[in-house]
Amino acid sequence: MQGLGNDFVIIDRRHERFDATLHTMSKLCDRRFGVGCDQLVLLDAPDRDGADIRVRFYNPDGSEAGACGNASRCVAALIGNAPVLQTSAGLLPSFITPEGEIGVDMGVPALDWQRIPLSQAMDTVELPLPGSPAACSMGNPHATFFDGMDRADREGAALERDALFPERANIGCAEIVSRDFIRLRVWERGAGLTLACGSGACAAVVNGVRRGLLDRECRVEMDGGALRIHWREADGHVLMIGPATHVFEGLYPLGTHDG
Ligand SMILES: N[C@H](CCC[C@H](N)C(=O)O)C(=O)O
């Protein structure tokens, strides 16, 4: 499936065994020697009350991510009937808009340096990096710059691994068109530049509001398309609305060798 060109291999292992070795997962993500995707998503039966499906997200480098907004919309569309997703970031309710778009409540962002996490105590609204980005977590760490998109291409790889981010970070680079419309490019942790990043769009709006640059309801346009983001004042939850597209379905040849 794909959400704004951010694409996923989603393996439902509720009824079939699938041993997710690092080698198998990275090969599945490989666009030449495997199927090809930005992230691999594993579905299991939930083990928390109120959840309909357990969802785990893995980058092509094998690292697990606590959140993946575009994949969350895809899983919600795949399961149908607006499921509640159980992720390591918590229970994420989904919904369908009257226009048929998929919405996911991405929960409350973590704003304190320990939970993002950062390597030292500091105010997360302006990090001591060129361009003074702001940082938050949507269940995965994000630093957002607001001085144009091209830094993502030029500096994303180095910034992802800056010593400030003990678990690395997704690097969002935004161009502010107006207080309710930004263009965003994200260098994703463990994946590199992608056409869209759902949690990155959420983080960019949260970070922009905290910097006094954006309104709480904002359109975020990325290379693959646009999301609507609303950081709801009443309860602090971040709602993300956008498309989710089924590309093809197949059977993973169980029992094949990893070679
Ligand atoms: N690379 C991210 C996970 C995927 C996020 C992105 N694809 C999204 O839609 O949120 C991380 O390691 O935190």
Side-chain angles (χ1 to χ4, degrees), residues 142-222:
H142 290 269
T144 313
F145 294 78
F146 292 96
D147 56 358
M149 294 193 290
D150 59 6
R151 190 192 299 270
D153 306 66
R154 286 196 332 261
E155 302 173 42
L159 289 165
E160 171 194 351
R161 297 174 179 279
D162 191 282
L164 199 54
F165 308 119
E167 294 178 10
R168 296 184 288 164
N170 297 283
I171 306 300
C173 300
E175 171 196 333
I176 298 179
V177 180
S178 63
R179 289 187 59 85
D180 65 354
F181 177 23
I182 60 172
R183 292 194 179 91
L184 179 73
R185 186 166 294 150
V186 181
W187 175 277
E188 286 199 28
R189 177 181 62 169
L193 275 178
T194 58
L195 291 177
C197 179
S199 57
C202 296
V205 175
V206 168
N207 285 328
V209 169
R210 294 161 68 218
R211 291 282 298 277
L213 301 170
L214 298 179
D215 294 339
R216 283 178 168 270
E217 291 198 57
C218 193
R219 176 181 167 79
V220 179
E221 187 178 275
M222 295 165 279

Side-chain angles (χ1 to χ4, degrees), residues 22 35 215 241:
L22 182 59
V35 177
D215 294 339
I241 296 173

